Amino acid sequence: MRAPPFVSRCVRRTARPPAVAGGRGCDDAAVPSAGELPITQYVPDGATIDLAWGHPGEALLPVQEWAAATEAALTRYGWQALSYGHGAGPGPLVDWLAARLGRIDGRAPAPAELFVTAGASHALELTCAALTRPGDVVVVDSPTYHLALRVIADHGVRLVGAPADDEGIDPAGTAALLDRLRSDGLRVPLLYLVPTYANPTGGCLPADRRAALVELAARTGTALVEDDTYRELAYPPAVAPPSLWSLADPAADPAPVVRLGSFAKSVAPGLRLGFLTGSPALVRALADRGMVDSGGGVNHTTALAMAAFGASGGYDRHLARVRVGYRARRDALAGALRAQLPAVRFRLPDGGWFLWLRLPDDVPAGPLAGAAGRHGVGFLPGARCYLAGGGSHRARLSYSLFDPTQLVDAAGRLAAAVAELSSPGRSAPAR
């Protein structure tokens, strides 16, 4: 078990992957001239293999297939595809999504339990806006998706890290934590976690802990906010476990779980399309918000294109292709690390985009990041995935963005950086 959780009133505002040797996010770039404005969030420099970024590989994005789906939606729905959309999301996508979740998860949501969003981050933003108020405490898994901490903190709440071990969040320790917080007179409306092919660990929360957390949420009234972004990226023969949402009693009031979903990883992040499954009362409340009353359903035209993509079978064909592609990338990076860095430990995930490394005791992640930059490779130091006090010898490597050959090269560069750090007198090779 880890040390007692750290309580923080805020999260630092620069919580995005660091720029390393020229690979950079647009926020880190110099202000460009009028003709040089970037198009994408991550701007590679061609010299650095930056494994800090959880972005899709360009070869695995369905450019032509999406063009066909958009044309099909416009042909089928005509002017309706370009009008203001239904508040909770257009019927064709809601119906298709409910049926699909019934096939790939433990329970199919009723249409009244679905709300279409502009991605999982938007779903988290809406959930926090609906269920928290300033001064509340929100508990988060340890480690967890680092940028979610910013989204939650924007609502004026305090963040508290949950007790956890190598299998994930500890239900008994979390129950004791909730009791302590409430005994101090604090309101704790939410607990955020990524239990399936987690960011950053790649792991899945065991079945007994899933059931225990759902029971805890039902008993205490602290809703689980389940970030289920990676469910569709299970590598056959692996099958994603039932969501926490599907394990909860659908008649419970208040609902113990809100599940956040997204097409960012399974199709493309540029769609800005996702969904949440929650109680009918929560869906009605979201559909009644002023933003929706003014603007209609979120991302309506793209939502109808997704419905067409799904109904045509294009989504299933695309998903089969990207599962093979990402599994090959995982295997290339994992195999190269095992060959070139045998002192580094990690579990091979059955899905998702990440390897979660345990570095040697004499190689802290912070100094290693600097050495890695000199060798032309980047990663996310594990400390970024904790509120404080953890992850000093952890590193998150994303294998999604680069092809297998580049990933093997990245492992070699990282091995050189580890060797440099382990031998302070050794000079770095010229590049």
Side-chain angles (χ1 to χ4, degrees), residues 56-338:
E58 62 183 66
L60 297 177
L61 293 172
V63 177
Q64 299 303 321
E65 297 94 329
W66 189 255
T70 301
E71 181 178 3
L74 291 170
T75 299
R76 178 169 183 179
Y77 301 110
W79 66 268
Q80 296 177 87
L82 299 177
S83 187
Y84 290 103
H86 181 258
L93 179 61
V94 170
D95 289 342
W96 176 84
L97 188 53
R100 180 164 190 87
L101 290 171
R103 293 194 300 273
I104 67 171
D105 196 10
R107 177 169 82 85
E113 295 175 297
L114 275 163
F115 186 88
V116 175
T117 70
S121 294
H122 182 232
L124 178 58
E125 170 72 18
L126 289 174
T127 301
C128 290
L131 300 181
T132 71
R133 55 181 183 246
D136 285 348
V137 171
V138 172
V139 177
V140 298
D141 201 0
S142 304
T144 196
Y145 172 43
H146 61 298
L147 295 179
L149 300 177
R150 286 195 59 189
V151 178
I152 299 168
D154 282 346
H155 292 269
V157 300
R158 292 193 292 164
L159 303 177
V160 179
D165 57 25
D166 286 341
E167 297 301 318
I169 191 169
D170 171 45
T174 301
L177 170 63
L178 294 179
D179 287 343
R180 291 196 301 273
L181 292 169
R182 287 197 168 88
S183 69
D184 291 338
L186 298 169
R187 184 173 178 269
V188 191
L190 302 180
L191 189 164
Y192 171 84
L193 71 166
V194 191
T196 303
Y197 308 129
N199 182 355
T201 69
C204 288
L205 193 68
D208 59 338
R209 297 195 183 197
R210 289 172 180 260
L213 282 177
V214 171
E215 187 280 329
L216 175 64
R219 176 170 57 82
T220 62
T222 294
L224 304 177
V225 179
E226 176 184 19
D227 191 332
D228 205 24
T229 303
Y230 298 93
R231 168 164 301 277
E232 293 272 43
L233 294 185
Y235 305 141
V239 176
S243 66
L244 306 181
W245 178 85
S246 72
L247 298 176
D249 179 0
D253 185 22
V257 185
V258 179
R259 184 252 302 275
L260 318 179
S262 176
F263 295 104
K265 310 304 188 287
S266 60
V267 184
L271 304 185
R272 302 316 311 143
L273 186 68
F275 60 91
L276 64 77
T277 53
S279 69
L282 175 61
V283 170
R284 287 194 300 270
L286 295 178
D288 195 43
R289 291 179 68 84
M291 179 195 73
V292 177
D293 188 30
S294 171
V298 176
N299 214 350
H300 174 66
T301 305
T302 300
L304 285 174
M306 184 64 224
F309 193 40
S312 71
Y315 178 66
D316 285 324
R317 292 189 295 272
H318 166 73
L319 196 58
R321 182 172 71 93
V322 298
R323 284 171 173 163
V324 171
Y326 287 129
R327 181 174 57 194
R329 294 172 185 222
R330 177 204 66 179
D331 291 347
L333 181 59
L337 288 171
R338 286 170 173 161

Side-chain angles (χ1 to χ4, degrees), residues 3-74:
F6 175 80
V7 181
S8 174
R9 289 190 176 273
C10 63
V11 176
R12 66 192 181 103
R13 311 300 295 179
T14 56
R16 64 169 59 247
V20 178
R24 64 193 186 186
C26 298
D27 287 354
D28 299 314
V31 177
S33 63
E36 299 173 347
L37 291 173
I39 295 174
T40 57
Q41 185 183 53
Y42 172 63
V43 183
D45 68 353
T48 301
I49 306 174
D50 194 348
L51 306 182
W53 292 85
H55 285 203
E58 62 183 66
L60 297 177
L61 293 172
V63 177
Q64 299 303 321
E65 297 94 329
W66 189 255
T70 301
E71 181 178 3
L74 291 170

